[in-house]
Amino acid sequence: MTRTIGLICGSLRENSYNRIIAQSLTDMVDSYQFRWIEIHDLPLFNEDLEITGIPETVTSFKSAIQDVDGIIIVSPEYNSGIPGVLKNALDWASRPREAAVLTNKPVGLIGATPGGMGTAFAQMQIRQILEAMQVHVLPFQKMLISQVHKKIDSDQKVLTDEQTKRYLERYLHQFIHWIDHTPVLD
């Protein structure tokens, strides 16, 4: 049985650097399938919606998370932090607490930015949020891509920098090895 990794992009921009980076992952291994888990149609989290009826977009989002063996979140950093749209998606995934779809799910974090520090602040915040949700985040590994605008061809929507490709491929293989060799607790 082929295993599947879900890809969540923390940017809504059509030509997002982070979406280009996430897309490049799909060509790096044949042993796994990749499935996009979109967050652009999720309503703002509101607990009242849990009472009056969870929107179909939220139900589909949660189902997509349940159907994959692991998730890689590829996200920019906005104002030294996590993009609001990604925080909103994680809030939906955390509810209701007793049936949170990300609990014990393996998750990897990658981030790209034109800035010089990568997405270190956003990734720290995402890790903190995921820890509160009891999510298993790939330990000891960071994939921070700085100066991303110099490493991709925006017109072709492809990663062109060979060193970054090697780092991404190594990160992806570490994530896959971790999924394949780490028991998931229920």
Side-chain angles (χ1 to χ4, degrees):
M1 182 173 100
T2 303
R3 297 183 73 168
T4 305
I5 295 174
L7 297 172
I8 296 176
C9 182
S11 172
L12 300 181
R13 193 168 66 88
E14 183 179 338
N15 291 320
S16 162
Y17 299 133
N18 284 275
R19 186 168 290 274
I20 293 168
I21 295 297
Q23 182 62 45
S24 71
L25 295 170
T26 66
D27 298 326
M28 293 182 174
V29 294
D30 295 327
S31 58
Y32 269 69
Q33 293 179 341
F34 292 86
R35 181 176 306 144
W36 286 99
I37 301 175
E38 298 295 349
I39 62 176
H40 53 70
D41 288 333
L42 294 174
L44 292 176
F45 177 76
N46 180 342
E47 196 171 339
D48 291 343
L49 294 176
E50 292 179 322
I51 297 166
T52 60
I54 296 177
E56 177 57 35
T57 55
V58 173
T59 303
S60 295
F61 170 70
K62 289 181 177 186
S63 178
I65 290 172
Q66 286 177 320
D67 291 345
V68 296
D69 298 294
I71 305 277
I72 295 179
I73 297 171
V74 187
S75 181
E77 180 173 292
Y78 295 160
N79 299 314
S80 298
I82 181 175
V85 67
L86 179 57
K87 175 64 166 88
N88 183 59
L90 295 175
D91 288 343
W92 276 116
S94 74
R95 301 285 303 169
R97 181 87 170 149
E98 63 278 359
V101 293
L102 277 173
T103 300
N104 295 323
K105 184 74 74 173
V107 172
L109 300 176
I110 297 172
T113 181
M117 290 185 51
T119 56
F121 295 123
Q123 284 196 32
M124 285 188 303
Q125 291 174 2
I126 296 168
R127 281 181 184 272
Q128 181 181 19
I129 293 163
L130 293 175
E131 183 177 307
M133 295 169 59
Q134 299 178 359
V135 175
H136 297 287
V137 181
L138 180 62
F140 311 117
Q141 303 299 319
K142 290 184 177 67
M143 187 66 217
L144 308 168
I145 303 169
S146 60
Q147 303 292 309
V148 68
H149 61 294
K150 297 176 182 178
K151 298 174 180 177
I152 63 167
D153 180 331
S154 294
D155 295 331
Q156 299 294 317
K157 298 182 183 177
V158 295
L159 176 62
T160 56
D161 183 69
E162 291 301 321
Q163 184 176 10
T164 303
K165 284 181 187 178
R166 284 191 302 276
Y167 287 147
L168 267 176
E169 190 168 5
R170 185 180 71 201
Y171 182 90
L172 179 59
H173 283 286
Q174 289 170 330
F175 184 69
I176 288 170
H177 179 80
W178 184 60
I179 290 174
D180 289 343
H181 294 93
T182 304
V184 176
L185 306 173
D186 289 327

